Amino acid sequence: LKLSVAAVNGPSSVVLAGTRDAVAEVQDMLTARGIFTSRLAVEYAFHSELMARHRDELAEALRGISPAKATVPMISTITGEWCAGPELDAGYWARTLTDTVLFADAVARLDADAFVELGPQPALQGPIRDSIGREATVVASLRRDGGRDTMLEALAALYSAGAMPDWEQVQPAADLGCLTPFPWQRERYW
């Protein structure tokens, strides 16, 4: 198998994986038809059968893990279904090397008004909006050159959408000392 669908991120966002030649051939064909394409800067054809030789090795390396019941609700992007927790065993994680990522299905299952994309560079905000089919706040937590400002902007957007961030965790209160309660009495204090 030279080419496969690696991820379905949204109705108009699909990732293909395969040999360099197979990917280049499909990219050229799509570009000729006026369809936007972009090549990902990766060294491996993740989420394709080209990674099958590593699947057993990963399953063996993770053989001793004992997944517990989930304490936070989670949807698998491999199955597109809610996870209870125990099914996230070594075999599940090994499947992530070869199975198609069903990101759009997972996002569509969520009944949320706000989404935070966690990652070094936002790439899924558009597919998230396309997949949910309704108005929602979608923000990025990080950008390559954004630093702390990007996270603060995301928190501000979430706050303006009705979320209540724990601001004390963002900026602990400082002891400002004692300032006069009457600043306009024309006496100098500093």
Side-chain angles (χ1 to χ4, degrees), residues 76-161:
S76 166
T77 57
I78 295 299
T79 66
E81 301 291 331
W82 289 97
C83 296
E87 68 272 34
L88 303 177
D89 60 8
Y92 172 87
W93 294 109
R95 284 180 47 209
T96 66
L97 291 178
T98 56
D99 288 12
T100 300
V101 174
L102 304 174
F103 185 78
D105 289 351
V107 169
R109 287 195 172 278
L110 294 171
D111 182 25
D113 296 323
F115 295 83
V116 179
E117 181 178 352
L118 302 174
Q121 183 65 20
L124 296 171
Q125 290 177 300
I128 290 170
R129 285 187 183 93
D130 293 345
S131 296
I132 59 174
R134 64 181 184 284
E135 285 295 317
T137 301
V138 182
V139 298
S141 63
L142 300 170
R143 295 188 192 285
R144 281 194 184 101
D145 298 323
R148 181 176 166 86
D149 289 345
T150 303
M151 181 59 80
L152 294 175
E153 289 168 10
L155 286 171
L158 293 169
Y159 178 73
S160 68

